[in-house]
Amino acid sequence: MTRTDDDRTAELEALAATETGARHPGPFVAKLIAVTAFAWSVFQIWIASPLQFTFANILPVLNDTHTRAIHLAFGMFLAYMVFPALKRSPRDRVPATDWLLAIAGALAAAYISIFYRDLAQRPGLPTTMDLVSAGIGMVLLLEATRRALGPALTITALVFLSYVFFGNAAWVPNVIQWQGASFAKAMSHQWLTTEGVFGIALGVSANFVFLYVLFGALLDQAGAGNYFIKVAFSLLGHLRGGPAKAAVVASGLNGLVSGSSIANVVTGGSLTIPLMQRVGYPAAKAAAIEVASSVNGQIMPPVMGAAAFLMVEYVGIPYSEVIRHAFLPAIITYIALLYIVHLEALKLGMTGMPRPGADRPRLVRLMRMGIGIASLLIALGAIYYAVKFTQAIFGDTAFWGIMAGTLAVYVGLVFLSSRQPDLELDDPNAPLTELPQLVPTLLTGLHFLLPIYVLVWCLMVEFLSPGLSAYWATISLIFIVVTQRPLMAFFRGSRELAGAAMLGLDDMVQSFIGGARNMIGIALATATAGIVVGTVTLTGIGQVMTQFVEVMSGGHLLIMLALVAIISLILGMGLPTTANYIVVATLMAPVVVEIGAQEGLVVPLIAVHLFVFYFGLMADVTPPVGLASFAGAAIAREDPIKTGIQAFIYESRTVVLPFMFIFNTKLLLIGIEGPLDLVLTIATGLAAGLLVAAAMQGWFVTRSRWWESLALCMIAFTLFRPDFWLNQVEPEFATLPPTEVTEAAAEIPTNGVLRLAIRGPDYMTGRPRDLTVLVPLGEAGADGATRLEQAGIIPVVEGDQVRLEEPFPTSPLFEEFKDYDFYLEDRPVRIDSVQVRNDRMPAGVFWIPALLLLGLVAWLQYRRKAHSPEAAPVPASARI
């Protein structure tokens, strides 16, 4: 039995409803929901605003506990109002039971805010009222999460809650048993403190994520989504497979500020997927390209599906550092996807669409392009130096001058936009005959880039907090949404200025309502994921997970990473981006760090978090659960499993990349040794990403033979990790006896690190525990013992062994050694060896044979293509 168009439309609407709710009640209730959603947005803007401190004598400044509780209260109330309980539940009204559940859920969520002072006076001693409220709140949270996000996250949370209560039951495997917790202890930990539901994850949702989701809603309401697609299409449509390349670029731009893979697919894919089909892409491939590019929007800074903000809290590094580390892998994945699209176009024998002005000489076109790029760079540089000059001259009063300058630029850009016709939405059924002209299309929405510029400026230049940066960007965008219509009408000489102003206000209100409804699922997801985090902190299951993966992998590092990747993928199935990152980061990130250190691989924590995030995100693509694939398939009218498989094939480049940056952290811009090293890292990373894509597609210059694809994989591996081959020839480290630790420390240069292999009894099990640590050393010149003591290492030489004293809690390395037992005299914690980096030839030497092999493959394929061209025109049956 085949599905009809109505079935597919209903499926797409159902998937879209997972973001905002499927219920459409009568006018009174609809207005109440809208007012509540609007109030939520206003509340979030207020708590992010510096104005709350100005008016502190009138309105109280809320602390994190208050804001998290109120944030969840809004989410719980709206969840029961807009999400029906069952498929057969009414959609046109809110049943009385849901009214009761909505009010009870909101009150339970707000409980720790309402009774904040009372709870603070009796920590760990909950009353009956506390426990009743916590129990009701927990049940209602899980039910709200089931309604809004489906059963997957609810089931995951229930499994962890069951472990909390029944950890000592006979049916629990011995390896993970613990004594269990009483209802009072569990509810106190999970609901009445900030260790569980109201923990870091919900705090990130309340303080950062909401504003970025609202920012995305405002951009969409302003028309920026359609603008990005049109600009990308006018820029790239003349290339082979141009609409697909435009879809990749547009999805990347939308991904800058979007927090949802599904939302990216539904909003952008409704335009780009039909566009790709109309130029000859098969339905499954068109949908898979949009799915891959939309999902990869979640790894694109600055928002990264809210994971970036969570990483700030979990990893403990500044937001700007997270963005810096995540940037190059994201760029590699997007450029590689563009290359995949190009290879698919080559396979189908596509040609580009005629471009306006294509009859001009190539030199003229190149000059025009160069002038455009140079003008953009000069404008950005002029803005940067103008702002810095103003700040240097006027100090604190420069703010108003900068605001006035930004306002003048905005008015000028809207004037340019008013000279152009408005961009129309694409008709998927209309024939595709010509490309929009680039310059007129570009001029219609340049003012949309101002809020994004404000966001990036605040984050990366002023180093403001993510919340404050989002606040200023959102305020600037609200101003644009409200004023662009009346300004446009004024510049076009229209007399309907009042009507245009009312439409602008309505756009703002609708954005506030839409942004809040988009946040319901994220608020519930972060709160429910907090149950998993609370379980880990209460039970110590994280240590058990480490032992489990260690046993399963047999101590082999690569197998361990593969297991962690698979577990992350499974845990991420059916979960929204934010929730799946919280779950996999809580359970799996410590596993990679600890086992890696035991095997001698010291992995930066940010690399581990990006690793598990990438694989948790793949669940949005992977059948049978990949919701993004289902959304893309519904638009393309294709089988979702087939679409998911094709999308996963496209995402193979994203699957390979995390393994590479675990072993080569230069891809995360860690350990770069100068400008040349930076250039080589970027160039080889991009080239390797393209070669992985070519190998997976079985096409380089022409269709590849099996051994050529294998050779491309080997070349890509060498470009990613040339040190692997060097390590086979020359060891990276020379091993010194532990008694030479002070001499080795004395020779380390200023701010260098000393690598030590540590062995000692585990605090929990007593079993031997191996660990490799990097000891940061300060200024050179002092003796080795002093430098080690300043780093927290106090070695005691006993014959040919070196015992370690327990580091002080304030020591830089205290966390590294917290799992060791320093009080067993017969088995001391000791330095097993001192490892000093060898003076070796550059690892880049191995790029030379790799590039020669690449040249051989390219020559063979060019030769084969010249004798038997394989590209064929697109068959008429493939066109739509």
Side-chain angles (χ1 to χ4, degrees):
M1 179 178 178
T2 59
R3 293 183 296 171
T4 65
D5 287 353
D6 290 340
D7 294 331
R8 297 180 189 277
T9 301
E11 181 184 354
L12 184 58
E13 290 175 352
L15 284 164
T18 61
E19 303 287 323
T20 59
R23 188 177 274 155
H24 303 283
F28 173 75
V29 178
K31 286 181 180 178
L32 176 64
I33 293 171
V35 168
T36 305
F38 182 84
W40 192 8
S41 291
V42 172
F43 167 75
Q44 294 292 157
I45 292 174
W46 174 254
I47 64 172
S49 168
L51 292 176
Q52 62 174 319
F53 302 101
T54 304
F55 296 96
N57 57 335
I58 301 174
L59 295 172
V61 177
L62 302 177
N63 63 23
D64 279 347
T65 302
H66 288 295
T67 57
R68 293 173 190 182
I70 297 171
H71 178 78
L72 183 58
F74 272 114
M76 293 267 276
F77 180 82
L78 287 173
Y80 282 104
M81 298 298 287
V82 303
F83 290 101
L86 303 168
K87 288 184 178 180
R88 62 177 180 272
S89 298
R91 298 309 198 255
D92 58 347
R93 61 185 176 85
V94 180
T97 52
D98 282 358
W99 278 99
L100 292 174
L101 294 176
I103 295 170
L107 289 174
Y111 185 85
I112 66 171
S113 177
I114 297 169
F115 298 100
Y116 178 77
R117 291 184 181 276
D118 292 339
L119 291 169
Q121 291 173 0
R122 43 182 169 79
L125 299 172
T127 65
T128 301
M129 184 179 176
D130 295 340
L131 297 177
V132 169
S133 176
I136 292 173
M138 189 71 76
V139 171
L140 294 182
L141 172 62
L142 292 173
E143 167 58 13
T145 302
R146 182 196 67 81
R147 293 188 182 199
L149 302 171
L153 182 55
T154 302
I155 292 172
T156 302
L158 284 172
V159 169
F160 279 85
L161 274 179
S162 299
Y163 179 67
V164 169
F165 292 119
F166 308 110
N168 58 352
W171 46 267
V172 177
N174 290 334
V175 69
I176 63 171
Q177 279 194 357
W178 82 299
Q179 71 269 25
S182 65
F183 180 80
K185 182 178 181 180
M187 289 303 100
S188 179
H189 187 84
Q190 295 280 16
W191 195 269
L192 301 177
T193 70
T194 56
E195 294 293 327
V197 169
F198 297 96
I200 289 174
L202 186 62
V204 169
S205 176
N207 294 329
F208 307 141
V209 179
F210 192 104
L211 284 182
Y212 284 88
V213 171
L214 179 59
F215 186 80
L218 285 161
L219 268 181
D220 187 60
Q221 187 71 30
N226 184 48
Y227 172 72
F228 289 152
I229 291 173
K230 292 290 188 182
V231 169
F233 188 40
S234 64
L235 187 64
L236 302 172
H238 67 288
L239 304 174
R240 290 180 184 266
K245 293 173 181 175
V248 173
V249 172
S251 293
L253 292 173
N254 286 329
L256 289 174
V257 292
S258 173
S260 168
S261 302
I262 300 169
N264 279 0
V265 174
V266 171
T267 55
S270 60
L271 297 176
T272 59
I273 291 175
L275 208 59
M276 286 185 268
Q277 290 177 278
R278 280 150 62 194
V279 298
Y281 281 94
K285 292 188 175 183
I289 289 169
E290 176 59 40
V291 169
S293 55
S294 293
V295 169
N296 284 155
Q298 305 304 286
I299 63 176
M300 176 63 74
V303 177
M304 297 171 59
F309 314 120
L310 289 161
M311 287 179 192
V312 169
E313 301 295 331
Y314 289 157
V315 181
I317 61 177
Y319 182 79
S320 58
E321 289 293 300
V322 174
I323 299 307
R324 182 171 66 88
H325 297 319
F327 182 73
L328 182 56
I331 292 298
I332 290 173
T333 57
Y334 264 104
I335 292 178
L337 183 57
L338 283 171
Y339 187 51
I340 287 173
V341 167
H342 180 72
L343 293 177
E344 290 286 10
L346 286 174
K347 292 180 185 179
L348 294 168
M350 291 182 179
T351 57
M353 294 185 62
R355 184 177 189 175
D359 54 342
R360 297 191 186 101
R362 179 181 294 271
L363 180 60
V364 173
R365 283 182 281 146
L366 289 174
M367 288 180 63
R368 288 168 64 92
M369 181 184 298
I371 291 172
I373 295 173
S375 300
L376 177 62
L377 293 176
I378 291 171
L380 292 175
I383 292 172
Y384 175 84
Y385 286 108
V387 171
K388 286 298 182 183
F389 177 78
T390 304
Q391 289 175 331
I393 296 297
F394 297 102
D396 294 338
T397 61
F399 173 80
W400 298 108
I402 293 170
M403 292 290 288
T406 304
L407 178 61
V409 171
Y410 164 63
V411 173
L413 293 177
V414 174
F415 174 77
L416 290 176
S417 178
S418 69
R419 303 298 93 186
Q420 310 299 326
D422 292 332
L423 294 178
E424 297 181 357
L425 289 175
D426 185 62
D427 180 2
N429 298 313
L432 198 61
T433 57
E434 62 179 2
L435 295 174
Q437 294 188 359
L438 175 59
V439 174
T441 303
L442 191 64
L443 293 177
T444 57
L446 282 175
H447 56 285
F448 294 140
L449 302 180
L450 276 176
I452 298 175
Y453 188 84
V454 170
L455 176 63
V456 174
W457 179 276
C458 291
L459 287 171
M460 307 304 293
V461 178
E462 300 295 336
F463 297 107
L464 300 182
S465 70
L468 194 55
S469 299
Y471 169 77
W472 288 116
T474 302
I475 292 298
S476 67
L477 187 51
I478 290 172
F479 182 80
I480 288 174
V481 169
V482 171
T483 61
Q484 68 171 345
R485 287 182 184 270
L487 272 177
M488 200 81 71
F490 173 77
F491 287 133
R492 288 174 174 172
S494 172
R495 297 182 179 179
E496 299 296 327
L497 294 180
M502 292 305 297
L503 285 175
L505 288 172
D506 184 65
D507 285 342
M508 182 197 73
V509 171
Q510 295 304 318
S511 300
F512 277 30
I513 295 169
R517 292 186 66 147
N518 288 338
M519 268 301 300
I520 297 171
I522 297 176
L524 296 176
T526 50
T528 307
I531 296 174
V532 177
V533 178
T535 300
V536 172
T537 58
L538 180 62
T539 66
I541 186 66
Q543 183 66 30
V544 177
M545 289 297 295
T546 301
Q547 295 171 6
F548 170 76
V549 173
E550 185 177 9
V551 170
M552 291 294 292
S553 65
H556 193 283
L557 191 57
L558 198 57
I559 297 176
M560 179 270 293
L561 289 173
L563 281 173
V564 170
I566 293 169
I567 293 172
S568 300
L569 185 63
I570 293 171
L571 288 174
M573 285 189 176
L575 306 188
T577 302
T578 311
N580 88 37
Y581 168 69
I582 296 166
V583 173
V584 298
T586 303
L587 290 175
M588 294 288 102
V591 174
V592 179
V593 172
E594 186 161 336
I595 297 180
Q598 292 175 15
E599 297 298 313
L601 178 67
V602 181
V603 186
L605 192 56
I606 182 64
V608 177
H609 278 260
L610 286 171
F611 181 91
V612 297
F613 173 60
Y614 271 50
F615 281 101
L617 192 60
M618 288 300 101
D620 279 352
V621 173
T622 312
V625 185
L627 298 181
S629 295
F630 275 78
I635 296 171
R637 296 176 170 81
E638 181 56 271
D639 178 62
I641 301 300
K642 183 177 179 182
T643 299
I645 293 171
Q646 184 65 61
F648 189 80
I649 292 172
Y650 289 156
E651 288 288 61
S652 58
R653 77 209 188 285
T654 311
V655 171
V656 170
L657 197 56
F659 286 96
M660 295 300 103
F661 63 59
I662 284 288
F663 291 99
N664 179 13
T665 54
K666 286 187 178 182
L667 293 170
L668 303 179
L669 304 184
I670 297 173
I672 298 294
E673 300 172 355
L676 179 60
D677 195 18
L678 175 62
V679 170
L680 289 175
T681 298
I682 294 173
T684 55
L686 290 174
L690 298 180
L691 292 175
V692 169
M696 295 297 104
Q697 289 299 301
W699 192 289
F700 185 41
V701 177
T702 185
R703 192 174 303 279
S704 298
R705 291 169 178 163
W706 69 267
W707 67 266
E708 291 173 334
S709 293
L710 182 61
L712 292 177
C713 286
M714 292 296 295
I715 296 165
F717 177 79
T718 303
L719 293 177
F720 272 134
R721 278 206 65 199
D723 60 308
F724 173 83
W725 305 110
L726 181 59
N727 291 341
Q728 313 308 311
V729 179
E730 294 182 286
E732 184 176 5
F733 298 99
T735 301
L736 303 178
T739 52
E740 295 185 20
V741 62
T742 54
E743 290 84 353
E747 296 176 3
I748 298 295
T750 298
N751 296 325
V753 294
L754 181 64
R755 187 181 176 100
L756 302 179
I758 309 298
R759 187 175 180 83
D762 186 273
Y763 182 79
M764 298 295 293
T765 65
R767 293 199 296 263
R769 176 187 180 87
D770 293 309
L771 182 69
T772 300
V773 296
L774 298 180
V775 181
L777 301 175
E779 293 290 333
D783 62 90
T786 302
R787 299 182 75 188
L788 288 170
E789 185 174 352
Q790 291 172 346
I793 297 292
I794 304 176
V796 179
V797 179
E798 297 176 343
D800 60 350
Q801 293 191 354
V802 178
R803 175 172 58 84
L804 285 180
E805 297 285 352
E806 183 176 16
F808 291 108
T810 55
S811 163
L813 295 173
F814 178 74
E815 287 294 318
E816 301 278 356
F817 290 96
K818 67 180 181 179
D819 292 323
Y820 278 108
D821 189 341
F822 284 86
Y823 300 100
L824 297 178
E825 295 184 1
D826 58 327
R827 288 182 293 159
V829 179
R830 56 186 175 83
I831 299 176
D832 204 38
S833 65
V834 180
Q835 299 173 1
V836 180
R837 194 177 297 275
N838 279 321
D839 186 13
R840 307 187 297 172
M841 63 179 174
V845 168
F846 290 90
W847 290 335
I848 297 173
L851 293 176
L852 291 175
L853 180 57
L854 178 62
L856 174 62
V857 172
W859 178 74
L860 291 172
Q861 292 206 1
Y862 270 116
R863 184 179 174 189
R864 192 162 67 247
K865 181 181 180 181
H867 289 86
S868 57
E870 297 181 56
V874 182
S877 59
R879 297 182 183 275
I880 295 180

